[in-house]
Amino acid sequence: MGYICLTVFLFCVSLLPPAYLRYYPFRSIAGLPTRRFLIGGHLIIFLLEFILLSLLFYRGMLTFDDGVFQKLYYFCYMPHFLLLIFTIRPYWFRHLFVLGLQAIYMISIHTLALEVFKLLLPQAWMFNRFHLYFVIYLTLFLLGMPLMMRILRQLFTPRQLLGKRPSFWLYLGPVPLLLCYYHGNAGYMTLDPSLLFLPSIQLYTVVTRCVLLLVGLFLVMSIRDGILQVQKMFCLKERNLQLQEQLTQLNDYAVSLRQEQKELAILRHDSRHQLRMLAELVENGHYREAEQLLLRLQEEMVKK
């Protein structure tokens, strides 16, 4: 029973770091209540799965055969996946993209852990000592997490997540998962266990996983550079719109200035005409008419 609990415990623990990696790119828009909810949800899922799997193994409904944990992974990781996508939404295809990147990392760590396991503990490998594998896997996974977090750190910014969702994620989101599916069905896991110790097979698996890692890395870099380029284009467009608005304001000001100059010219012309009339009235001794003209001019000035 102790071996069962230890192995199942390590298996359930191995699901938690990947869950955090999937959350990490979305951390910038997750508030404190959301974070607490996710932590509580993942812990509850962990406890329920640990209890359920321990009982199933203890009662003999599950056995420690080759591939049992590989099959259990798809079932046991699904609640962690659904918890995040329904808590931080509606970024469905971006969640798929991050899930694919995380799967690429997990497959690579899994392959490396298997090679280390076979190299250092060949007897334990032959007798399915899974708890030793999980110890190696968790150690390698945690050692590589800082690098993976650095890669995912700037994948999404709050502005990208909260702004308009680009349509290209609909087509790009599933790409890493499709790559993982292709590599996962390359026939490596269906080989005779004795063949897995052949140097050629070991070299092949390591090289293919390295290629998969490089493809994932280049994909992330391409996405980041593409998004930055799109942001620069949007910023340039905003600046152009601002400049256009400023030019429109300047044009309106110039039009109003020309109109005022035109009105001022008319006013100067009228003023000269009225001054001539006033001078003629004074010269001819028509003081009353001159006074009335001055009063009328004063009223017009007040109205203006």
Side-chain angles (χ1 to χ4, degrees), residues 17-301:
Y20 178 76
L21 273 185
R22 278 203 320 104
Y23 153 80
Y24 190 71
F26 301 94
R27 72 197 185 285
S28 58
I29 61 170
L32 184 59
T34 302
R35 296 176 186 177
R36 290 177 176 174
F37 178 78
L38 287 173
I39 292 174
H42 286 304
L43 289 178
I44 291 173
I45 293 171
F46 166 79
L47 290 175
L48 292 177
E49 290 181 346
F50 172 69
I51 294 172
L52 177 62
L53 292 178
S54 297
L55 289 175
L56 291 176
F57 277 108
Y58 179 72
R59 294 182 177 275
M61 301 176 69
L62 291 175
T63 57
F64 291 104
D65 297 327
D66 289 334
V68 62
F69 286 106
Q70 184 181 9
K71 297 173 183 177
L72 283 175
Y73 170 79
Y74 299 106
F75 171 77
C76 294
Y77 191 70
M78 187 59 65
H80 294 283
F81 174 67
L82 295 177
L83 175 65
L84 183 62
I85 66 171
F86 284 106
T87 303
I88 302 179
R89 60 182 189 272
Y91 310 105
W92 316 114
F93 290 98
R94 276 181 260 200
H95 278 297
L96 284 179
F97 184 80
V98 177
L99 177 64
L101 295 179
Q102 169 221 303
I104 290 175
Y105 177 66
M106 290 180 64
I107 290 174
S108 303
I109 295 297
H110 166 69
T111 302
L112 183 59
L114 283 181
E115 297 304 324
V116 173
F117 190 29
K118 290 185 294 183
L119 180 64
L120 299 181
L121 302 167
Q123 295 300 322
W125 164 266
M126 298 303 296
F127 289 100
N128 292 332
R129 296 297 181 182
F130 293 104
H131 65 290
L132 298 176
Y133 160 77
F134 285 122
V135 170
I136 297 173
Y137 172 82
L138 280 169
T139 302
L140 294 176
F141 195 101
L142 294 176
L143 287 175
M145 271 192 71
L147 177 61
M148 195 65 184
M149 291 167 63
R150 184 176 180 180
I151 294 173
L152 297 176
R153 183 175 301 157
Q154 299 298 329
L155 185 58
F156 306 130
T157 63
R159 183 177 180 181
Q160 296 166 4
L161 292 172
L162 299 176
K164 184 179 179 181
R165 292 188 292 275
S167 59
F168 63 80
W169 284 112
L170 176 64
Y171 311 101
L172 191 60
V175 170
L177 280 178
L178 294 176
L179 288 172
C180 292
Y181 176 80
Y182 170 76
H183 278 267
N185 290 272
Y188 172 74
M189 298 303 297
T190 60
L191 293 175
D192 189 326
S194 61
L195 298 177
L196 299 179
F197 287 89
L198 293 176
S200 58
I201 297 296
Q202 293 176 329
L203 179 62
Y204 169 77
T205 55
V206 172
V207 169
T208 53
R209 295 309 185 256
C210 289
V211 170
L212 183 62
L213 267 178
L214 288 175
V215 170
L217 180 61
F218 291 153
L219 190 59
V220 171
M221 294 174 63
S222 300
I223 292 297
R224 288 172 56 180
D225 291 344
I227 291 176
L228 289 176
Q229 189 66 28
V230 170
Q231 287 180 341
K232 290 180 180 179
M233 292 176 61
F234 275 116
C235 291
L236 184 60
K237 184 177 180 180
E238 289 179 358
R239 289 184 59 186
N240 289 336
L241 290 175
Q242 292 175 357
L243 289 174
Q244 185 176 358
E245 185 178 355
Q246 292 176 358
L247 288 174
T248 302
Q249 293 175 354
L250 288 174
N251 185 54
D252 294 340
Y253 175 74
V255 170
S256 63
L257 186 60
R258 285 196 297 269
Q259 183 65 26
E260 290 178 358
Q261 289 176 344
K262 185 177 180 180
E263 293 176 356
L264 185 60
I266 295 173
L267 181 61
R268 286 199 301 267
H269 178 269
D270 293 343
S271 298
R272 286 196 297 268
H273 176 68
Q274 290 165 352
L275 287 174
R276 282 198 302 269
M277 290 178 59
L278 184 61
E280 291 176 358
L281 290 173
V282 172
E283 288 178 359
N284 296 327
H286 301 291
Y287 299 110
R288 185 174 182 81
E289 288 81 354
E291 183 181 1
Q292 291 177 353
L293 179 60
L294 287 173
L295 291 174
R296 188 169 65 253
L297 291 175
Q298 185 178 4
E299 291 176 357
E300 291 178 357
M301 293 296 295

